[in-house]
Amino acid sequence: MRILVTIASRHGGTWGIGEVVASTLRERGHDAELRAPEDVTDLTGFDAVVLGSAVYVAHWMPAARDLADRLGAQLAERPVWLLSSGLATQPAASANSPHEIRDLVERIGARGHRSFHGRLDRSVLSFTERATISAARAREGDHRDMTAVARWAEQIADALAPVPA
């Protein structure tokens, strides 16, 4: 199957998660293409989609939300999985619970949403981002579990595997 993996990422941490998803799908025999949401104008030619975003102050990034709004009808026509990546030191369920996810899952019929811990490098953050992170008492470092990301992508690959006739 041809699968679009589209990831909104401000500082590259969530993009890295998307790279693992796309690579794992390829290893499992699918044709997976990784693109930023702002580079996606149409879903024609894709059989399934993995749509993800970094989470900032309990919201997905605007580029991911915009893609879901622009292409919602097309997303609803194919299997879709959602992923979020947020504050590295908070429990994944609470740190990566963007307000728009429940509505988005229902609107497009997503097969699921998975939250992953993120990566925090204060040196690349703006002043406002550093203030927000300080208030949240987040720990610096790479807290992404790429093994868990790959396992999740394997589940997607298996769900999309052709059923023998």
Side-chain angles (χ1 to χ4, degrees), residues 7-15 17 52-61 83-98 101 113-121 125 132-133 136-145 149:
I7 303 294
S9 180
R10 185 173 293 158
H11 300 293
T14 307
W15 185 261
I17 290 172
S53 178
V55 177
Y56 290 91
V57 195
H59 289 285
W60 265 16
M61 293 182 62
L83 75 86
S84 299
S85 175
L87 285 176
T89 56
Q90 301 300 317
S94 64
N96 300 320
S97 298
I101 289 300
H113 170 249
R114 179 70 189 268
S115 296
F116 296 100
H117 291 292
R119 179 183 76 186
L120 176 58
D121 177 358
L125 301 180
T132 301
I133 291 301
R137 299 178 189 200
R139 256 187 322 123
E140 190 156 2
D142 190 345
H143 304 278
R144 297 171 299 171
D145 182 346
V149 171

Side-chain angles (χ1 to χ4, degrees), residues 19 24 30 47 49 55 67 75 100 107 120 130 134 143 150:
E19 289 175 328
T24 302
H30 295 284
D47 303 303
V49 176
V55 177
L67 182 142
L75 288 166
E100 50 277 301
R107 187 164 40 98
L120 176 58
R130 284 194 309 272
S134 292
H143 304 278

Side-chain angles (χ1 to χ4, degrees), residues 4 6 35-44 46 49 51 63-78 80 104 107-108:
L4 173 64
T6 181
R35 288 190 200 168
E38 54 272 21
D39 296 334
V40 178
T41 58
D42 187 32
L43 299 179
T44 301
F46 291 104
V49 176
L51 170 59
R65 294 192 317 258
D66 178 62
L67 182 142
D69 290 340
R70 284 185 293 112
L71 302 177
Q74 290 182 52
L75 288 166
E77 295 172 348
R78 50 193 41 82
V80 176
L104 182 57
R107 187 164 40 98
I108 66 172

